[in-house]
């Protein structure tokens, strides 16, 4: 990916791609990293916590940039990334990771026009490492701190070369991180005894690999580095016992407090337990500690400021719960995002659980997660029905499978439009096996050709040529293909394109701007006249911004 000179060389487009690739990479590595988790507590959630942290950062950036517009302002986007990571951080590793992401974002945002990209990114990694060490009450080597320091050292060395670019810096950092990760069992006895590398360090290595991929286009291949006379084994799932001498509870909370109240808080919490991490700034902090006395940990927060979003986890119960999970959920449900009241009614009548969305009102991860987990089904199919809601749905689905108290399977079908979701739901059959049902719904959604008609809100250049405010725009498969001044004429051109490859059924959904259904009815008449062998159904969808949605099956 090209680096643009000057300030913003690590442009917003690169930042957006990085958070997407990092989320995907950690999602793929999540189970592996969870299985490595033996330090500081073998609760098997390091990969999940790091993934949730970067997912929250990604969601915050996308919200701050209007759904991921690379033309948005870089500064506010980076501030949103840092805050999103802080607010969404989970667990010891997630809180440390959030501080590192925040430090990197702040250094990029403060870059001067005459600074070299390589220097900015090397300093960003150095500041991230320094911030991580400062956040931890008692730093321990052989952890993600060590891996981060090796990456920062390698980045600084590479950036010193006058011809170095940001891509070279991250390639050197990622390689050094992999090598440092392989050495972690030499530094921490609990890792050596378990035969694994550090989980947090592995998660950080995955993220640095993602950064290298974004800037170079290459996907680094992890190498197995010998440890003594033995190679480090591939991670496998293990049941690790909790230390009887360790604290029993993990306490986390957000804290509104003045900066000068944090040093006394750190001291008070350090006296109560271990694995202390306090990150944040400018009045908002994320606090994490392992203790036996939960009340005292919360009281320390009350003395410093206002704790909120308090979470307490009993380690023994958490591990025992993972071992004894028994399914209490039954049946299969479909969760569908609906862009209008009429569409919501259609989905509900077909038996789906509806989450309201649409342009300018896309659902959050939390809304989809609540719908998935509260429907009571053991198998859930999610229809996001919008390109921009797909990643949010994938995060919600993975989180639900990880955090649900019972066995739960969730599949997200990448439906790009409301009409694609309607097509998929039409072939939904709960009596089939889950995998077969998902396969049939996915195939139907993929084969349904979809289009729409909308009205231009501003002057722009489209694939079909320039448009002015108020022009009618025809959309096929997400691309503008027709520009005109008459909605019916544009709509029939869209229909003609969709029917060019044949079809048996046309679905037309009238929007809020076609409240009386006149446009939809005239389009249906056009289809019946020009394509008499094709069936037509018309629905009142009530969606905003799109007077017409169309699908051909």
């Amino acid at each position: 990916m090209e680096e643009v000179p000057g300030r913003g060389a690590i442009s917003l487009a690169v930042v957006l791609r990085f958070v997407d690739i990092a989320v995907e990479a950690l999602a793929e590595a999540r189970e592996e990293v969870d299985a490595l988790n033996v330090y500081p507590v073998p609760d098997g959630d390091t990969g999940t916590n790091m993934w949730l942290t970067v997912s929250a950062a990604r969601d915050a950036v996308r919200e701050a940039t209007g759904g991921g517009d690379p033309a948005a302002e870089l500064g506010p986007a980076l501030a949103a990334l840092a805050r999103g990571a802080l607010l969404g951080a989970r667990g010891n590793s997630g809180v440390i990771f959030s501080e590192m992401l925040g430090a990197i974002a702040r250094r990029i945002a403060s870059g001067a026009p005459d600074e070299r990209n390589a220097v900015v990114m090397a300093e960003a990694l150095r500041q991230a490492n320094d911030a991580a060490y400062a956040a931890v009450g008692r730093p321990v080597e052989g952890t993600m701190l060590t891996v981060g320091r090796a990456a920062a050292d390698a980045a600084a060395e590479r950036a010193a070369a006058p011809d170095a670019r940001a891509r070279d810096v991250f390639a050197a950092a990622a390689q050094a991180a992999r090598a440092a990760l392989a050495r972690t069992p030499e530094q921490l006895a609990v890792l050596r005894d378990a035969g694994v590398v550090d989980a947090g360090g592995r998660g950080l290595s995955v993220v640095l690999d993602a950064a290298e991929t974004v800037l170079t286009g290459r996907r680094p291949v992890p190498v197995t580095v010998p440890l003594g006379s033995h190679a480090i084994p591939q991670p496998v799932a293990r049941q690790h016992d909790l230390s009887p001498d360790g604290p029993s509870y993990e306490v986390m909370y957000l804290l509104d407090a003045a900066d000068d109240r944090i040093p006394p808080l750190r001291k008070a919490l350090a006296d109560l337990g271990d694995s202390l991490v306090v990150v944040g700034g400018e009045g908002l902090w994320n606090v994490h500690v392992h203790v036996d006395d939960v009340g005292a940990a919360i009281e320390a927060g009350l003395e410093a400021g206002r704790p909120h979003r308090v979470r307490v986890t009993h380690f023994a119960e958490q591990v025992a719960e993972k071992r004894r999970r028994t399914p209490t959920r039954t049946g299969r449900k479909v969760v569908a995002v609906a862009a209008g009241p009429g569409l919501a009614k259609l989905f509900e009548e077909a038996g789906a659980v509806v989450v309201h969305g649409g342009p300018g009102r896309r659902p959050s991860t939390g809304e989809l997660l609540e719908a998935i987990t509260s429907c009571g089904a053991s198998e859930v199919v999610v229809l996001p029905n919008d390109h921009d809601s797909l990643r949010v749905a994938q995060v919600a689905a993975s989180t639900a499978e990880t955090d649900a108290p019972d066995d739960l399977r969730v599949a997200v079908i990448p439906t790009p439009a409301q009409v694609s979701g309607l097509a998929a739901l039409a072939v939904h059959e709960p009596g089939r096996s889950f995998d077969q049902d998902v396969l049939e719904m996915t195939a139907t959604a993929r084969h349904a050709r979809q289009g729409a008609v909308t009205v231009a809100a501003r002057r722009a250049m489209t694939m079909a040529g320039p448009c002015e405010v108020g022009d009618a725009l025809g959309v096929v498969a997400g691309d503008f293909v027709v520009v005109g001044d008459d909605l019916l004429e544009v709509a029939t051109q869209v229909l003609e394109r969709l029917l060019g490859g044949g079809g048996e059924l046309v679905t037309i959904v009238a929007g809020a701007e076609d409240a009386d259904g006149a446009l939809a009815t005239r389009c249906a008449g056009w289809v019946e006249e020009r394509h008499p062998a094709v069936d037509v159904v018309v629905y009142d969808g009530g969606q905003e911004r799109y007077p017409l949605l169309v699908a051909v099956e």
Side-chain angles (χ1 to χ4, degrees), residues 44 100 139 166 189 226 239 284 288-289 365 420 427 436 450 473 541:
M100 299 179 81
Q239 291 292 350
L284 178 62
H288 171 281
V289 67
T365 301
S420 305
V427 300
Q436 187 63 32
Q450 46 90 14
L473 302 177

Side-chain angles (χ1 to χ4, degrees), residues 273-330:
D274 58 28
S275 298
L276 171 62
V277 186
V278 181
V279 301
E282 298 181 354
L284 178 62
W285 305 84
N286 195 317
V287 179
H288 171 281
V289 67
H290 293 174
V291 296
D292 283 319
D293 191 339
V294 173
I298 296 174
E299 286 174 8
L302 288 168
E303 291 180 6
R306 185 181 73 89
H308 52 104
R309 237 171 68 180
V310 179
R311 296 185 58 203
V312 178
T313 302
H314 186 238
F315 291 125
E317 289 182 2
Q318 181 185 49
V319 173
E321 176 63 25
K322 287 184 177 181
R323 292 176 178 173
R324 68 171 181 262
R325 280 185 179 178
T326 56
T328 59
R329 298 171 176 270
T330 58

